[in-house]
Amino acid sequence: MADDDTATTAPLLTSHKQQGKPTIDDTIENYIGTTGVMQLFKAVLLAFAWAFDAQQVFISVFTDAEPQWHCTGTSPASCSLAAPPSSPCGLPSGSWAWDRPADTTVVSEWALKCAGPALVSLPASSFFAGCLAGGFLLTTLADSLLGRRKMLLTSLVSMSVAGVLTAFAPNVWAYAALRFVSGFGRSMVGTCTLVLSTELVGKRWRDTVSVAGFFFFTVGFLSLPALGYTFREASWRNMYLWTSVPSLCYSVLLYFLAQESPRWLLVRGRKQDAMDTLQQIASLNGNSITSSFSMLHACTMHADNDMDNKAGGVFATMRTMWERPWALRRLAAIMTASFGVGMVYYGMPLNVGSLGTNLYMSVTYNAMAELPSAILSLAFIGKVNRRSTVMVLTATAGAFSLMCVAIPEGSPARMAAELLSFFATITAFNLILIYSIELFPTSVRNSAVGMVRQALVLGGVAAPVLVALGRERSFWSFGVFGLCIGCSGLFAACLPETKGRSMSDTMEEEEQKQKQEATAIVAACTGGGGGGATDIATKDNSDAV
């Protein structure tokens, strides 16, 4: 029995298609049966990787923070008069001191406060640059050679080991280099987790498992203020050890429990591995596969026709999209929208120090904003249009971010505007990731989602520099954030709506689906018009986004 009532929920297109060769989606659910508790548990366990991902993304909010200082010595009055209130630069070494031990942050330990915004922002920018480089170099491996499971494990282990080594960095240059390595490894954690967890469950549970990852990201984000407050008088190196060692242990656990996506195995033509995986999943659901795999063989052969990239190397999946104008336009549009969302999503938490409020409470508020966003995503993901919702959310985030420029520092209204902007950005971030899964077929899905995440990270690369500049003039942080997310979100208008559509497995299947949908639209508009209208719709749709 299928996991969902396909006959009543699937589009007419799917029902028509089942008269020919079976789809991979229907084949998998036919064999494994209804998604059971253990299968769902494994998928949720996979989603927990987002917690460690969040810790590495936002850990620099505390480790790279600028601590407070005070005047010392015999003439504190002259010290106060001799320096700007916010900076001890230019004062004699014995006339001032940090409020806390010097090793609480990298800024105080390595005397970076007066080194300029470029050096202060170097470690955080290096991390996002590593995410960007890793995304471009590793994203196709999960669709080609390694698969989702091996790529996820490789990314987790490399991120965790780099985090442990970061705790022993002797200077800012080694620290920045290790942050780059950590970002390089981290680049595929979220992508592989999101794709693999959704491909391991039935259609009914895909949205739930996707949103579970966002919940765990919130858990990881919320753990940082707790850790930061715990180690507020201790070395910043403790933060890296207490986040990286558990992540390494989790990787070992995942090695024994995680399974490869049967959908990916079928698309790659690895029939025997797919059969073994399906048997394992069926047993988790309390079922056993006793029938033949004739249905599986039929859909696998159909999928193999699309995978001529077996001999094309690891970048063949990208070439598959580049050769199709509709896929390239989809990718360009959603990546452009993602750039602005990423700039605000990664930049706002780094910029909370400019609000003039308590750092620990500000970060906690920002982290807690992720929770209602995840709840709303779970409640309404099956009901809202993707395209229009992304546009509304990005416009809202931009408006509230621009309001922060006009509101005085330290005002509760400024904190409220920042939180509302961040909340809208988080929701747009979550929706864009789900949207990108629905826009591209299985054969290129991991590569496409990886590219979308790299666009998000590219915005994060610029964010630390803007945050450093914004400490002197808030327009360079809040103002630029608002303009970027508001303008880039308009590109979502170029994307097709995917609400309620079944996911495709091959590029040819997606193209056929576009043609049939265009034919249905023309027929509805013309009252079941003739073949000439159908031919025109088919031709026009081949160039549609």
Side-chain angles (χ1 to χ4, degrees):
M1 180 178 178
D3 184 75
D4 199 14
D5 191 358
T6 307
T8 59
T9 61
L12 181 61
L13 169 65
T14 304
S15 301
H16 176 271
K17 185 176 178 183
Q18 288 174 344
Q19 296 175 5
K21 292 183 179 180
T23 65
I24 290 179
D25 219 14
D26 297 324
T27 300
I28 290 176
E29 296 207 18
N30 179 72
Y31 284 123
I32 66 176
T34 304
T35 299
V37 175
M38 289 305 299
Q39 182 188 358
L40 189 60
F41 171 76
K42 281 195 172 185
V44 172
L45 180 64
L46 271 171
F48 192 78
W50 281 73
F52 300 109
D53 181 48
Q55 289 178 333
Q56 292 303 313
V57 168
F58 294 119
I59 193 172
S60 58
V61 174
F62 295 99
T63 60
D64 300 8
E66 292 193 13
Q68 299 295 317
W69 62 279
H70 61 274
C71 293
T72 60
T74 56
S75 55
S78 60
C79 168
S80 301
L81 295 173
S86 61
S87 174
C89 301
L91 292 177
S93 59
S95 62
W96 66 276
W98 301 111
D99 289 356
R100 292 176 179 171
D103 61 352
T104 53
T105 76
V106 299
V107 173
S108 54
E109 180 171 346
W110 293 323
L112 302 180
K113 187 172 181 65
C114 302
L119 191 58
V120 172
S121 62
L122 177 63
S125 293
S126 296
F127 174 80
F128 289 115
C131 294
L132 191 65
F136 281 117
L137 294 176
L138 302 178
T139 188
T140 58
L141 292 177
D143 278 330
S144 54
L145 298 180
L146 294 182
R148 283 79 157 113
R149 177 181 175 273
K150 289 182 180 178
M151 189 71 257
L152 173 59
L153 290 172
T154 302
S155 297
L156 274 172
V157 170
S158 57
M159 178 187 77
S160 304
V161 171
V164 172
L165 294 177
T166 302
F168 302 96
N171 53 56
V172 67
W173 306 107
Y175 177 65
L178 287 168
R179 290 299 287 157
F180 179 90
V181 175
S182 179
F184 189 90
R186 172 261 168 192
S187 61
M188 295 306 298
V189 171
T191 303
C192 291
T193 300
L194 185 63
V195 173
L196 179 57
S197 60
T198 55
E199 291 182 350
L200 283 175
V201 296
K203 288 180 283 188
R204 178 184 176 187
W205 294 100
R206 281 179 192 148
D207 290 342
T208 302
V209 171
S210 298
V211 177
F214 306 149
F215 274 106
F216 288 129
F217 194 91
T218 304
V219 172
F221 197 174
L222 278 172
S223 70
L224 290 175
L227 286 172
Y229 187 78
T230 301
F231 297 117
R232 63 189 182 280
E233 301 292 338
S235 172
W236 57 269
R237 302 173 192 272
N238 289 281
M239 293 280 289
Y240 282 101
L241 288 176
W242 279 85
T243 55
S244 301
V245 173
S247 177
L248 196 58
C249 296
Y250 170 79
S251 304
V252 176
L253 177 65
L254 217 58
Y255 175 81
F256 293 103
L257 295 181
Q259 296 165 311
E260 183 54 88
S261 164
R263 180 187 289 269
W264 177 81
L265 292 171
L266 290 174
V267 170
R268 295 298 299 175
R270 293 169 54 177
K271 303 181 186 67
Q272 187 57 51
D273 291 335
M275 294 177 194
D276 295 339
T277 303
L278 289 174
Q279 289 277 16
Q280 295 172 12
I281 295 177
S283 64
L284 284 175
N285 296 334
N287 304 320
S288 59
I289 301 176
T290 56
S291 60
S292 67
F293 283 93
S294 57
M295 187 177 177
L296 180 146
H297 288 298
C299 74
T300 305
M301 292 305 295
H302 174 66
D304 285 347
N305 295 333
D306 185 63
M307 295 306 293
D308 56 352
N309 60 342
K310 285 184 177 181
V314 296
F315 291 102
T317 53
M318 298 304 301
R319 187 173 64 250
T320 300
M321 288 188 284
W322 292 336
E323 292 172 349
R324 290 167 169 84
W326 64 266
L328 187 60
R329 282 194 288 269
R330 285 188 188 184
L331 188 62
I334 195 168
M335 286 181 66
T336 303
S338 299
F339 173 80
V341 172
M343 179 179 289
V344 180
Y345 182 76
Y346 294 118
M348 279 293 188
L350 297 177
N351 202 37
V352 293
S354 300
L355 294 174
T357 54
N358 181 275
L359 177 63
Y360 301 103
M361 294 305 299
S362 298
V363 176
T364 300
Y365 292 149
N366 277 264
M368 290 181 66
E370 299 246 8
L371 189 59
S373 174
I375 294 174
L376 286 176
S377 299
L378 179 61
F380 296 104
I381 192 61
K383 303 176 183 178
V384 299
N385 292 333
R386 278 64 166 138
R387 179 173 53 197
S388 57
T389 306
V390 167
M391 295 176 64
V392 170
L393 288 172
T394 52
T396 303
F400 280 111
S401 184
L402 289 171
M403 288 175 60
C404 292
V405 179
I407 301 174
E409 182 178 336
S411 169
R414 195 183 204 194
M415 183 70 200
E418 189 272 343
L419 285 174
L420 289 171
S421 177
F422 190 58
F423 172 79
T425 303
I426 296 166
T427 310
F429 185 100
N430 296 345
L431 184 57
I432 278 179
L433 289 178
I434 296 175
Y435 200 3
S436 61
I437 289 177
E438 298 170 344
L439 284 170
F440 299 94
T442 302
S443 58
V444 297
R445 182 171 298 127
N446 207 93
S447 298
V449 176
M451 293 295 290
V452 171
R453 282 179 60 85
Q454 296 330 298
L456 291 164
V457 170
L458 183 60
V461 173
V465 178
L466 292 172
V467 169
L469 293 172
R471 286 169 183 158
E472 301 297 329
R473 187 181 178 189
S474 60
F475 174 80
W476 291 112
S477 53
F478 291 116
V480 175
F481 288 167
L483 292 174
C484 282
I485 192 172
C487 294
S488 63
L490 297 175
F491 282 83
C494 303
L495 294 169
E497 182 55 56
T498 60
K499 175 190 172 185
R501 294 175 82 239
S502 60
M503 292 197 302
S504 301
D505 292 305
T506 65
M507 299 296 277
E508 283 77 8
E509 181 183 336
E510 178 65 19
E511 289 169 349
Q512 184 64 26
K513 183 180 296 185
Q514 292 181 55
K515 293 177 182 178
Q516 293 183 358
E517 288 174 345
T519 301
I521 292 173
V522 172
C525 293
T526 59
T534 300
D535 292 340
I536 293 172
T538 300
K539 181 179 183 300
D540 291 343
N541 191 71
S542 64
D543 292 329
V545 175

